[in-house]
Amino acid sequence: MERGVQRWVVNISGWDPSPQDFSFALSVLPSVEQPSVTRFVQMEDRKRALVSRLLQYALVNEVLAIPYDEIIIKRTLEGKPYLECGDVCADFPNFNFNASHHGDYVAIASEPLCLVGLDIVSIVIPQKETVIEFIQNFSSYFSSFEWDSIVNAGTSDDILIEFYRYWCLKEAYVKAIGSGVAYGLDRVEFHHSCWTNISVNVEGKAMKEWRFWLLELGKGHLVSIARGHPRSATESYMRTLKQAEFDEEEYNAALHLPNVRFVSRTVEQLIPVSHKDRVHRTSIS
């Protein structure tokens, strides 16, 4: 079961591909996936979108040994990616994954049974307004308890970091359950002890079947991971899962699997050798 718990990250700040190299990496994806990358105008956005999808295919290939050209990744109505894997996922009751990108990093996390949500934030200091003015735009997404914790965190830098910590956790939770909207985030309230032992209350109810982690991911970046019960999934996402209910012992074993460290990958490592060989044979024929 532990093999289904994966954490990969790519630092794209040093990846400056030529048009030919970018097209080569893009060609790894099925043709139906490619417009989701090329629709972006800015190259930095294209890079993030491409690496996010390459991570999904590479992880599925490595963990489940499904050949790239047989991997089928679809999306729910809310846009949540999911794998159609049939009997190949027999070792993992609910193999699922979630990717995120912001700033210099693109990452992916997977779980064998629990839902998984992942979010990266790049802590950017607002330039055209004060920190208080900036965070005020998002005040409706926080409970009164969270908002008091944010605005009383200390200096402007402290307030900004506190804001991003809570925001990162909320995004991970929303992504884990497959919701495509931020509506109701003020009813998702986080508690912690110095940002460890993180827990969540939803509409005042303690969600004891969830675990969260908040970590630093390189300079000026945070990453959060949510792991929780499949019964919390949205209706459309739940239909993609193999199983929503588990006995307490089986679920607790999955909930308390080790949260493994992030493994650093390069874009080159996400491109299958078979694809490189096929291109090479074509170029010399």
Side-chain angles (χ1 to χ4, degrees):
M1 190 76 79
E2 289 188 23
R3 190 165 57 88
V5 181
Q6 297 288 332
R7 310 284 187 258
W8 297 5
V9 63
V10 178
N11 184 339
I12 62 167
S13 61
W15 186 47
D16 185 24
S18 66
Q20 293 79 12
D21 288 341
F22 188 87
S23 295
F24 172 69
L26 182 65
S27 69
V28 173
L29 301 179
S31 57
V32 295
E33 284 267 37
Q34 296 178 17
S36 62
V37 174
T38 57
R39 67 186 177 90
F40 291 102
V41 176
Q42 299 295 326
M43 187 59 181
E44 288 303 305
D45 294 328
R46 288 189 172 196
K47 283 166 56 176
R48 294 185 188 101
L50 173 58
V51 174
S52 174
R53 284 156 179 80
L54 289 175
L55 276 168
Q56 295 172 40
Y57 281 84
L59 185 142
V60 169
N61 171 258
E62 182 166 315
V63 176
L64 301 177
I66 304 175
Y68 272 69
D69 56 1
E70 295 179 20
I71 295 172
I72 301 174
I73 294 175
K74 294 186 176 181
R75 283 171 172 73
T76 65
L77 292 174
E78 293 85 5
K80 170 82 171 177
Y82 67 93
L83 175 69
E84 282 199 347
C85 61
D87 294 335
V88 179
C89 300
D91 292 341
F92 307 120
N94 278 332
F95 183 78
N96 69 115
F97 54 81
N98 196 217
S100 181
H101 52 78
H102 199 204
D104 293 340
Y105 293 94
V106 186
I108 192 168
S110 68
E111 288 288 332
L113 185 153
C114 299
L115 301 181
V116 63
L118 176 73
D119 193 61
I120 296 173
V121 294
S122 172
I123 300 173
V124 179
I125 299 174
Q127 299 298 315
K128 297 182 180 180
E129 53 191 342
T130 66
V131 167
I132 295 297
E133 289 170 340
F134 169 71
I135 67 170
Q136 195 69 46
N137 298 318
F138 305 91
S139 61
S140 63
Y141 298 120
F142 298 91
S143 71
S144 57
F145 168 80
E146 291 171 329
W147 190 249
D148 287 344
S149 298
I150 292 169
V151 298
N152 293 307
T155 66
S156 292
D157 287 347
D158 294 333
I159 290 171
L160 187 64
I161 293 172
E162 196 80 350
F163 162 80
Y164 275 120
R165 285 168 173 158
Y166 278 110
W167 185 261
C168 194
L169 286 165
K170 285 174 180 278
E171 283 288 313
Y173 174 77
V174 166
K175 293 174 70 178
I177 65 175
S179 175
V181 295
Y183 174 77
L185 278 186
D186 59 313
R187 299 196 294 269
V188 179
E189 181 180 271
F190 283 91
H191 296 262
H192 62 89
S193 301
C194 298
W195 296 106
T196 61
N197 300 319
I198 301 168
S199 61
V200 68
N201 294 348
V202 178
E203 296 185 345
K205 180 182 177 182
M207 306 294 282
K208 296 180 180 180
E209 297 170 326
W210 283 79
R211 297 185 71 195
F212 298 88
W213 295 267
L214 182 68
L215 310 165
E216 290 188 5
L217 188 66
K219 185 177 180 181
H221 294 73
L222 299 172
V223 60
S224 63
I225 302 160
R227 176 192 280 170
H229 205 293
R231 70 165 68 105
S232 300
T234 60
E235 183 179 350
S236 63
Y237 185 39
M238 189 175 291
R239 287 197 294 266
T240 74
L241 302 174
K242 282 190 170 185
Q243 193 174 341
E245 296 296 336
F246 299 87
D247 64 54
E248 186 175 355
E249 183 178 356
E250 184 180 13
Y251 181 72
N252 281 332
L255 181 63
H256 292 281
L257 285 172
N259 181 47
V260 299
R261 292 183 178 183
F262 277 89
V263 176
S264 183
R265 298 286 173 117
T266 65
V267 176
E268 179 78 11
Q269 291 173 324
L270 305 181
I271 298 173
V273 174
S274 60
H275 188 76
K276 300 172 187 175
D277 291 343
R278 185 164 63 249
V279 172
H280 177 70
R281 287 196 301 270
T282 301
S283 66
I284 62 176
S285 60

